[in-house]
Amino acid sequence: MARGILARKVGMTQIFTERGTVVPVTVLESDSCHVVQRKTTPVDGYEALQLGFGEKLPRRVNKPLTGHFRRAGVRPLRRLIELRDGGEAELGTRLLVDIFSEGELVDVTGISQGKGFSGTVKRHGFSRGPVSHGSMNTRQPGSIGSVDAARTFKGVKMSGQYGNVRRTVRHLEVVRVDGERNLLLIKGSVPGHRNSVVMVRPSEREDLP
């Protein structure tokens, strides 16, 4: 059995438990996740499953990828993502959300929402400067390097691209599994904007509460 799945982030909502408490959840839909390729240690040097998600028009796929999908016995898919140590699964197998169970802890990986070019206050949480009359340093970063070095060291927190990077949120609880509609309801928020593709895997770290 595969140890992960690709899903589409539908959005967030809330559900009520039997005790009447409100739980914020993220809805993930996995309607077309298939195993496209199996990579093995003797051939490729490592173990992994290549998963595909999201159907694509055949006329928009080049010939190499067309043959790649044909060997797996699946229709052309939009996204291809590797899952290291993904378990055992045959080519062309469709993965469903029932590989998870309610109450299980999972790790969700996705591309965070891009915020564009941002300053240090928004990007790194810097404090503002004085806002009194005549102040010219309200949202400027301040000192960015040593005087003796005559240069700015690498890694200094500055303005720049904010977001749009790969992020993993660990130890999220699966609140509900809807096998009929292939929906996963996960407690809390996950990386990515609406309709983005995320990877859901069983959580392996035990050092977190």
Side-chain angles (χ1 to χ4, degrees), residues 1 24-25 30 44-45 55 68 129 141 156 159 166 183 189 195 206:
M1 179 181 293
V25 295
S30 180
D44 305 288
E55 294 186 357
H68 186 62
V156 177
S159 303
R166 181 183 173 96
L183 297 179
S189 60
N195 294 324
E206 299 181 355

Side-chain angles (χ1 to χ4, degrees), residues 80-127:
L80 293 175
I81 299 177
E82 278 194 7
L83 176 62
R84 286 291 188 101
D85 300 325
E88 298 293 333
E90 299 295 331
L91 291 181
T93 303
R94 182 185 179 189
L95 303 180
L96 304 175
V97 296
D98 55 9
I99 64 175
F100 301 102
S101 58
E102 295 184 3
E104 184 178 0
L105 297 180
V106 296
D107 298 339
V108 181
T109 303
I111 304 298
S112 63
Q113 296 185 24
K115 306 295 184 179
F117 189 93
S118 302
T120 55
V121 175
K122 178 178 180 179
R123 191 184 186 198
H124 301 293
F126 281 17
S127 298

Side-chain angles (χ1 to χ4, degrees), residues 29-160:
E29 180 184 16
S30 180
D31 55 351
S32 59
C33 182
H34 295 80
V35 178
V36 180
Q37 184 182 5
R38 285 190 60 188
K39 296 196 174 183
T40 58
T41 302
V43 178
D44 305 288
Y46 61 97
E47 298 286 335
L49 289 179
Q50 187 184 73
L51 306 181
F53 183 84
E55 294 186 357
K56 191 175 183 179
L57 293 176
R59 62 185 177 85
R60 294 187 178 274
V61 182
N62 57 25
K63 289 185 178 180
L65 280 179
T66 300
H68 186 62
F69 292 125
R70 186 182 296 116
R71 283 191 296 269
V74 298
R75 298 187 60 183
L77 300 173
R78 188 173 300 276
R79 293 289 300 275
L80 293 175
I81 299 177
E82 278 194 7
L83 176 62
R84 286 291 188 101
D85 300 325
E88 298 293 333
E90 299 295 331
L91 291 181
T93 303
R94 182 185 179 189
L95 303 180
L96 304 175
V97 296
D98 55 9
I99 64 175
F100 301 102
S101 58
E102 295 184 3
E104 184 178 0
L105 297 180
V106 296
D107 298 339
V108 181
T109 303
I111 304 298
S112 63
Q113 296 185 24
K115 306 295 184 179
F117 189 93
S118 302
T120 55
V121 175
K122 178 178 180 179
R123 191 184 186 198
H124 301 293
F126 281 17
S127 298
R128 294 192 307 170
V131 293
S132 58
H133 178 70
S135 174
M136 304 292 289
N137 188 27
T138 303
R139 297 177 68 91
Q140 293 181 5
S143 176
I144 60 174
S146 173
V147 177
D148 295 335
R151 66 186 180 90
T152 301
F153 293 104
K154 292 183 179 180
V156 177
K157 295 181 178 179
M158 295 185 179
S159 303

